[in-house]
Structure formats: structure tokens, C-alpha cells
Amino acid sequence: MSFKTDINSRKQSLIKLLNCVQVHEQEIITALYADFKKPEFEAVVSETGYVISELKHTINNIHKWAKPQKVLPSLLNFPSTDSIFKEPYGKVLIIAPWNYPYQLSLYPVIAAVAAGNQVVLKPSELTPNTSKVVAKIIKETFDKKHVDCIEGNHEVATELLAQRWDYIFFTGSVAVGKIVAQAAAKNLTPVTLELGGKNPCIIDETANLKLAAKRIVWGKFLNAGQTCIAPDYLLVSKKVKADFVALLKSEIANAYGNNPEASKDFARIINGKNWKRLALMLKEEKILAGGEINESSFYIAPTLVDEPKLDSLVMKDEIFGPILPILSYSNESDLAKVISNYEKPLSMFVFTQNKSFADKMIRSYSFGGGCINDTVIHFSNSRLPFGGVGHSGIGAYHGRRSFDTFSHHKAIVKKGNWIDIPIRYAPYEGKLKILRRLLKWLS
Ligand code: NAD
């Protein structure tokens, strides 16, 4: 049985969590800065603010979401009332990544608690300051048997995955996602996998280029490019490429000054391993802007790379850093050659004023979600499902969808006793004709 199934007590737990996260907000902001110099503005806009608004949204809607949902009954079952009951899965394991270490830990915890589950959260070992505050918040809010936070590295995660869970919610890389899926398969445990990918961003010749440059620079270099849904590479119409590159350069300077290393609004790479991986990508590429690196502070400048080959390091895998390759295209088959070269991405963005082109691009490619004429902001509407497809993930969450993700949907038919239509019962002789006529009438 689940720890708490009563909706009012779940709501009280969430109200307690809301008070606690508000009390510790400044501590989280300080921890995020200590972990990778995340600017305070970005910490509020993409971490603490999100968590607070998701908590309020969940608290306000929990009764509505938890209520059995009535659906139209099938006439074949007449007389009946049919409903879907939302049942907690039971014991839930949540494994979180480091890039939005606060938000991506607490978002699923909020939903799992709202849906009535017991939870174990394992935050990332790469952001130890933030993980410590997250663990403190969990400890201050919940009974350990209800929600526990276990800090540690991949070995701890491996031990946790070896146990039996009723649901596993994982956010992280594709490679580890496959390990999680294998571990879950042993007990047929359902999973949500929130993974990554190589996200294309198309700019056609009709786009509002200045605004597009501004929005791309913001979405790409936020969190120093360490955002799963950030544009990974640009596909720019050949007709406007030169103008667009000039605009991107000036928007980078507007945002971070001529020396982004001195800007307090630009974060750092999480660790030496990732810094080296990214620094290596810049070797042998034509740099259009940026390119400066500093290992002692894990700094990599916002960098534009010109026309890299598809088999180059920068185009092989997800970049996950402040490096933006710019490829140009002449026609839609050029676009298809590049985009179809990769697994289905987590997001895609199209900058255009041509509605039918935007519509065609959205329908032509499979990807988790995205925007027309902006980047990354689809994440922030809790009425939109957030998740990947294919290699970028399984399942989705946010808002009501999160509650549903952490609930088993139990289908119940409540049959009336005042009449009992006899046709279904054996002996069947003479009833097949009536059945066929009935089925025809119902279809
Ligand atoms: P990661 O896969 O290396 O680590 C994620 C979590 O898994 C961490 O808690 C880590 O301790 C654990 N882990 C690592 N190795 C493991 C193993 N062998 N067995 C079990 N657990 C293990 O990912 P990361 O570097 O923290 O995050 C970056 C990746 O996450 C990127 O690919 C990014 O696109 C993706 N991401 C996706 C989303 C999303 O919502 N779809 C959000 C953020 C990040």
C-alpha cells in the first residue's frame, strides 16, 4: 500500500513543501552559483520560480486531478456508469541530472507525491551544493518513509536500480536511459525517460532575423548551453546566412558584452570532463565568433561554428554546451538530409513568417516538442506535455500530465442491477443474428 493515499494529506504535504522551498530559495540560488556559476536571474527564471509555480498549480488542482473521471459508457454494457480511477503506483524512484539540478529533481517529486506515491529521489552528484539543499528540503518536509533523498554517484544509482520499484522516472543522457530501461525491464517496471538529442533550429529567408537572433542567443546560451531542449545546431537559408551571422554576433555582444568571461550573466561548464569534451569539438572548426576557452574556470565562450561536417565531433552527438554550429541550406531536401541524419530530437524550432512552411516542418519531422519563432519556451506552459520521442525519451509530464504519469489509470465499469439483458449468456443458439444486428447498429 502507498504511504498516503488521502488527497487532503497529500495536499498538506505539498503546502509544507511550498513553504520549505520558499524559505530555502536564496540557499538554492547560492548553491547553483557555487556549482556552476549559474546567474541568479537564470536560477529564478528556470529553477526556483518554476518549482514554486508548479507547486501552486498542483496544490490548486490536486482535488480535480485525483477525482475519478467519468467517461461515456458503452451501450454494450447497458446499464452502467464508467470511470477512470487514478491509483498511486506505489514506490517510485526518481533519478535527476545536473543541468537544472533543482527543478528537475523537485518537479517529478511534486507530481509523484500529489499522485500518492512513496518516493526515493537521487539527485546528481555533479552539483553537490544544490543536491545538499535539495536533500535538506526533502528531509525537513517529509517523513523519510514517504519521500527520501539519497545522494550519490552512478554506483548509488546502480544499487537503487537493482531494487524493485513500481515506477522509475529518469532524466539524463540517452546512454544512461538505456541502462535504466534495462534495469526496469527485469521487473516490468514502467518508466518515464526524459532524455536528450540533437535539436535542429531552422531559419528561413522570411524570418524576422533580428528577433530570431535574439531569441536563439538567449535559448542557446542560457545555462551556458547546457539545456536539453536548447537549439543544438542552426539550419539557415543560404539567402540570409551572412546577415544572420552578423546579427547573432551582435546579439551575443548585447547579452554578454565583448568579453563574456567577465559577464556575470554567463554560466560555466559543469566539470573538467565536459569542458574537455567541448573544447575538443572546437579544434579544426572554422570559428565565426567566440572560441575562447579557459580550463581553470571551465569557461567556454558563446561560440559560432561555420559549416561543420556531419561527421565532425561537433555534429556527431548532442553538444550540450555553448557551441552553436551554423549550417546553411538551399532547399527542403538539404534540410531533410541533415535532420534525418539523427535520431528523433527532444525539440525543434522554426523561425519563419511563412505559415505553410512552419506547418510543413512541424509535420515532416518527429520530435518531442518545440516552438515556431522562439526557442525553449514550450517547456514553461504546464498545460503542454513535456517529453521526447524515440531516442529523446519515453513519456511526458508537467501539470496535470505529471499527475497522470505517476498514477495508474484503473478502468471501472459499475453495472446496474435493475435490468439484465440476456443476450450475452450461453446457450448462444439463435442469438448470433441478433448480436450481429446489434453490433452493426452500434458501429
Ligand atoms: P547522466 O545520464 O550522465 O546522469 C543522470 C543521472 O543518472 C545522474 O543522477 C547520475 O548519477 C545517474 N547515472 C549516471 N550513470 C549511471 C549509470 N551507469 N547507472 C545509473 N545511473 C547513472 O546525465 P547528465 O549528464 O546528468 O545530464 C545531461 C543529459 O541529460 C543530456 O543528455 C541532456 O540532454 C539530458 N537531459 C534531459 C532532460 C529532459 O528533460 N529530457 C533534462 C535535462 C537533461
Side-chain angles (χ1 to χ4, degrees), residues 326-337:
I326 302 172
L327 292 93
S328 53
Y329 73 90
S330 300
N331 50 44
E332 286 177 21
S333 82
D334 289 350
L335 289 176
K337 262 182 229 152

Side-chain angles (χ1 to χ4, degrees), residues 244-266:
F244 195 62
V245 168
L247 286 166
L248 285 171
K249 285 183 189 174
S250 87
E251 288 304 335
I252 291 172
N254 286 345
Y256 306 110
N258 290 326
N259 176 18
E261 192 166 13
S263 167
K264 56 182 180 12
D265 295 330
F266 188 65

Side-chain angles (χ1 to χ4, degrees), residues 95-99 104 122-126 152-154 157-158 161 170-174 176 179-180 194-197 228 318 320 346 386 392 397:
I95 300 179
W98 57 266
N99 63 328
L104 294 175
K122 198 213 74 71
S124 173
E125 68 278 22
L126 300 189
N153 61 11
H154 65 280
T158 305
L161 285 171
F170 171 80
T171 309
S173 60
V174 174
V176 179
I179 295 171
V180 171
E194 293 282 341
L195 311 176
C228 55
E318 180 188 19
F320 217 58
L346 184 58
F386 179 77
S392 58
Y397 71 133

